[in-house]
Amino acid sequence: MKQTPVYVTKEALAAETAAMEAVKAHAARPSSYHIVTYGCQMNAHDSEKLAGMFTAMGLEEADDRRNADLVIFNTCCVRDNAERRALGNVTWLKELKKEKPELIIGVCGCMVQQPEMAERILKQYRFIDLAFGTHNLHRLPSLLLDLLEQKQRVVSVIDQENLIAEGLPVKRLCSHHAYITIMYGCDNFCSYCIVPYVRGRERSRRMDDILREAEGLLKSGVQEIMLLGQNVNSYGNGTGETFPELLRRLDALGIPRIRFMTSHPKDLSDELIEVMANGKHICNHLHLPVQSGNNEILSLMNRRYTREDYLRKVEKLRAAVPGIGLSTDLIVSFPGETEAQFEDTCSLVREVGYDSAFTFIYSPRIGTKAAAMEGRIPDDVSSRRIAKLIAEVEASTAKAHQSMLGCTEQVLVEGLSKRDPGMVSGKGTRGITVTFKGTQADIGTVVPVHITSAAVNTLRGERTER
Ligand code: SAH
Ligand code: SF4
Ligand code: F3S
């Protein structure tokens, strides 16, 4: 059953707009902000909303945390190292605060939404002035106003897991590429994953709201949109609206390029494959996380597909969308994973032939089912497995890149190359980075590039006419 979301009411949103005005007029308000973002694209886009609200409150963006009056950390907790890095950096700011006592330190995002985190912040991290979770991000203006007026710490985390706040101001990082969140939360409860606990129940935005946002972006000259959700394939809000239908309608608007992530293999339907094949603007790339190549591990992970199901879907995609590039996420050392089971993941990488893959060592997350499973894999074994898997992925990437020699890629230029002066880089439709000779003026435009050399990290080429 699809959840019906609860929309934040017009009155509540109006109260936030009033709070923005009050912060703007407040004599003691900070004049600049700096946001540090961890985690996935969802968080990156949430940070664009935070930036939009700060801007509406009259704060200017500081390029460095040392120059800001307010620093906020938008955190991730999907793996232990993500969490440790965030906490380490927040603590580092404690020192800065000694020199600059008026500095406001904020934390928000997934880490804060974990059970008991609010209490921990109150007790253990006394230098944090402002903290809120993922479900009340839209309340930033009134929380900041409380902080300014009451001159005491504000820690506010709520449990309501099915809220959607429409119409928040957004300050986008990039003028030619834009994120659109189409659904929030996740109901899949993969046994290793904390996301459903910190992002709440799966809920989808209204199709009309999404189309309106996309139309606005098209008018503003955006070249590429990326639709976001933890499991976009299951988009739907109980009114019969589906992801293939949404894609078809977005494709008809004429935005030059459409991408989306993440797709759960169990929900990748024939209809979606057909829309990808027939769409004029849908990129020939799919991020399709497999996690493991072994059926017993997939079952323990609660992924609800088998290696064979996955391979069948890959075959269908390749037949329907010629030249499609696939990328994935992989986890090694899930509890109890044997050497043979790990080898199944390696062989799957070879069999599919990915363009790229994110590889992770399993990290136990409190409250998830897998955290209570037996069979912790020793660190030295995990290190060896991940090194081997990375080598497999690199070999697969090298092969995919080689196959593109002599092709022409339509490259959306993202920026000047950091390593090579006089060069620019961007992504082709298949999502692979291409570097070629260019200037600042190319940024944000689509340039046809003939691929002339292929390395593991990047493709190189020359501008052509077509
Ligand atoms: N919703 C997306 C992505 C979620 S998080 C999906 O379903 O694919 C991104 C990736 O982090 C996951 O695909 C998984 O590979 C990895 N991940 C999540 N929890 C993890 C954990 N506890 N340990 C290691 N990797 C994890
Ligand atoms: Fe986590 Fe699974 Fe949901 Fe992805 S689909 S966010 S891995 S529970
Ligand atoms: Fe991390 Fe939250 Fe994304 S836990 S991966 S920032 S949804």
Side-chain angles (χ1 to χ4, degrees):
M1 240 325 257
K2 298 276 183 204
Q3 305 271 332
T4 314
V6 173
Y7 284 87
V8 176
T9 62
K10 282 208 176 82
E11 293 72 28
L13 289 171
E16 294 307 319
T17 309
M20 282 186 211
E21 289 303 319
V23 170
K24 199 172 179 179
H26 203 285
R29 81 159 157 80
S31 59
S32 57
Y33 71 91
H34 183 79
I35 305 173
V36 184
T37 309
Y38 300 92
C40 62
Q41 283 88 349
M42 289 275 186
N43 253 20
H45 188 40
D46 280 350
S47 288
E48 294 183 327
K49 292 179 187 166
L50 294 172
M53 290 188 273
F54 283 131
T55 306
M57 291 187 276
L59 280 74
E60 297 210 2
E61 189 171 359
D63 54 357
D64 190 287
R65 58 188 83 168
R66 283 169 228 265
N67 305 329
D69 296 341
L70 182 155
V71 181
I72 189 156
F73 291 83
N74 190 8
T75 60
C76 171
C77 57
V78 77
R79 284 170 295 278
D80 181 50
N81 54 4
E83 198 169 336
R84 267 207 313 251
R85 222 172 24 186
L87 281 173
N89 271 314
V90 177
T91 309
W92 178 85
L93 269 196
K94 191 175 156 187
E95 297 305 309
L96 195 61
K97 201 164 172 159
K98 284 188 189 144
E99 292 160 33
K100 197 173 159 184
E102 69 285 3
L103 174 70
I104 297 175
I105 301 176
V107 286
C108 64
C110 295
M111 191 186 84
V112 181
Q113 191 66 49
Q114 290 178 99
E116 285 151 46
M117 198 61 192
E119 290 79 2
R120 246 181 90 189
I121 289 171
L122 281 169
K123 278 202 210 111
Q124 251 174 292
Y125 297 93
R126 293 184 174 273
F127 55 95
I128 292 176
D129 306 290
L130 177 66
F132 51 92
T134 55
H135 302 315
N136 58 349
L137 173 127
H138 61 282
R139 293 209 55 232
L140 167 69
S142 52
L143 298 175
L144 183 55
L145 185 62
D146 281 353
L147 176 69
L148 295 177
E149 293 199 328
Q150 295 165 14
K151 296 200 179 76
Q152 57 179 340
R153 316 169 64 198
V154 173
V155 177
S156 170
V157 180
I158 62 165
D159 290 334
Q160 191 169 0
E161 292 189 317
N162 55 356
L163 283 175
I164 293 185
E166 283 293 343
L168 299 182
V170 179
K171 184 174 181 245
R172 295 189 184 270
L173 281 178
C174 178
S175 58
H176 53 267
H177 168 97
Y179 293 128
I180 303 182
T181 302
I182 65 163
M183 48 114 65
Y184 300 89
C186 182
D187 284 350
N188 285 316
F189 290 94
C190 301
S191 62
Y192 51 82
C193 184
I194 198 157
V195 171
Y197 302 91
V198 292
R199 285 276 171 180
R201 298 288 55 78
E202 181 181 307
R203 56 219 185 263
S204 297
R205 290 176 68 196
R206 287 180 288 246
M207 200 178 280
D208 284 348
D209 289 336
I210 298 168
L211 290 168
R212 209 170 308 123
E213 186 174 346
E215 270 168 333
L217 290 167
L218 177 64
K219 280 199 195 110
S220 73
V222 158
Q223 295 287 328
E224 180 174 288
I225 57 169
M226 164 83 90
L227 309 176
L228 296 180
Q230 295 299 347
N231 179 14
V232 289
N233 299 3
S234 77
Y235 169 86
N237 46 23
T239 58
E241 294 177 332
T242 65
F243 187 55
E245 178 60 17
L246 173 65
L247 267 188
R248 252 193 299 268
R249 293 190 53 190
L250 285 167
D251 190 51
L253 292 180
I255 295 164
R257 298 182 185 215
I258 303 173
R259 299 184 188 279
F260 51 90
M261 75 185 297
T262 302
S263 291
H264 194 302
K266 79 176 164 53
D267 297 313
L268 177 69
S269 64
D270 288 349
E271 189 187 359
L272 177 57
I273 295 175
E274 194 190 308
V275 177
M276 288 188 76
N278 297 332
K280 283 204 186 73
H281 305 286
I282 303 168
C283 287
N284 54 341
H285 169 234
L286 191 66
H287 185 64
L288 197 61
V290 67
Q291 314 298 356
S292 166
N294 176 271
N295 285 340
E296 284 115 59
I297 295 291
L298 284 171
S299 165
L300 287 171
M301 286 178 163
N302 191 29
R303 290 291 287 181
R304 287 173 277 174
Y305 54 82
T306 62
R307 176 187 178 110
E308 293 72 29
D309 297 333
Y310 185 90
L311 287 171
R312 259 194 304 276
K313 292 199 179 182
V314 166
E315 205 176 301
K316 274 190 188 165
L317 274 164
R318 290 237 155 98
V321 190
I324 191 169
L326 298 174
S327 55
T328 200
D329 293 347
L330 302 162
I331 298 177
V332 302
S333 294
F334 186 82
E337 185 186 67
T338 64
E339 208 56 32
Q341 289 170 330
F342 161 70
E343 284 298 334
D344 284 344
T345 301
C346 296
S347 74
L348 184 89
V349 168
R350 291 192 292 271
E351 208 166 328
V352 174
Y354 292 106
D355 285 359
S356 60
F358 294 106
T359 49
F360 307 108
I361 296 176
Y362 167 73
S363 167
R365 304 282 69 204
I366 293 170
T368 61
K369 228 172 163 184
M373 289 180 188
E374 288 180 4
R376 238 351 255 279
I377 308 295
D379 289 351
D380 58 328
V381 175
S382 297
S383 305
R384 180 175 47 72
R385 284 186 187 168
I386 194 108
K388 170 150 198 238
L389 189 60
I390 290 170
E392 293 281 2
V393 170
E394 278 179 359
S396 180
T397 301
K399 219 166 160 184
H401 285 188
Q402 284 291 325
S403 75
M404 305 205 43
L405 280 173
C407 297
T408 298
E409 276 288 275
Q410 303 296 323
V411 179
L412 173 55
V413 183
E414 287 164 13
L416 301 175
S417 164
K418 288 190 192 90
R419 266 183 289 169
D420 303 298
M423 307 288 273
V424 289
S425 65
K427 288 195 183 69
T429 53
R430 191 163 148 170
I432 303 177
T433 300
V434 179
T435 304
F436 65 100
K437 212 164 156 188
T439 64
Q440 187 85 28
D442 293 314
I443 296 172
T445 66
V446 175
V447 179
V449 178
H450 181 74
I451 306 301
T452 53
S453 86
V456 172
N457 297 327
T458 180
L459 297 173
R460 285 172 175 272
E462 282 157 17
R463 197 184 288 259
T464 75
E465 291 308 309
R466 285 169 300 112

